[in-house]
Amino acid sequence: MRYRGEDIPHFATDRDICTFFEVVLGVEWIDDIDKYRRNVVRRDKKKGEVVRDTPLARHLREALEYLLREHPVSAEQWGQLTHVFFYEEDRLYAYLQDLYDYFYGDRKEPPVAPDPEAPPPEKYWT
């Protein structure tokens, strides 16, 4: 049975969160995560300050914090949800930590997603 992400906070109730995980982190858009960042992190034009208190920013933060705290999704399930394959949980959660740091921390560059053209690790062939 295909993993659908319903256990991720706000996934079932906030269409923007569902879209983020299924589309933005999907194989077609994941390399353009820097373009999506402005939807989460924006500058107040009057004050010049960074703003991260929109419903999308709060819900995404809660979803990512849950994933990083609980590690509830296997690499295989993540591939079913996003069609981006990390093959190993430690690589998946390292990517999610980098993504969290890019949106909410001090990481300047977006994280690098796995190469979709790269073959899976050798252990998947045996």
Side-chain angles (χ1 to χ4, degrees), residues 11-126:
F11 188 93
T13 58
D14 184 332
R15 188 72 195 136
D16 289 333
I17 297 302
C18 180
T19 299
F20 179 80
F21 285 101
E22 289 186 333
V23 178
V24 177
L25 291 183
V27 72
E28 297 292 326
W29 293 97
I30 195 166
D31 291 329
D32 295 321
I33 199 73
D34 58 319
K35 293 172 181 63
Y36 189 81
R37 185 174 188 245
R38 70 189 83 157
N39 294 328
V40 177
V41 178
R42 60 181 178 77
R43 290 217 173 265
D44 182 304
K45 291 180 182 178
K46 292 181 182 177
K47 297 179 183 177
E49 297 173 349
V50 173
V51 177
R52 293 184 179 102
D53 66 349
T54 64
L56 172 60
R58 283 191 307 275
H59 289 172
L60 183 57
R61 176 179 231 145
E62 291 170 9
L64 289 171
E65 286 175 348
Y66 166 78
L67 289 168
L68 291 168
R69 182 180 61 249
E70 301 295 328
H71 289 213
V73 180
S74 70
E76 180 181 352
Q77 290 171 316
W78 189 263
Q80 292 169 358
L81 180 65
T82 65
H83 302 285
V84 173
F85 296 91
F86 287 86
Y87 297 106
E88 293 143 357
E89 276 79 21
D90 59 338
R91 291 182 62 214
L92 166 62
Y93 287 102
Y95 175 84
L96 292 175
Q97 182 65 60
D98 288 346
L99 183 66
Y100 181 88
D101 293 343
Y102 180 61
F103 284 148
Y104 302 104
D106 58 2
R107 184 181 173 98
K108 303 290 185 227
E109 297 296 320
V112 177
D115 179 355
E117 305 281 324
E122 190 173 316
K123 70 180 183 180
Y124 288 91
W125 295 101
T126 57

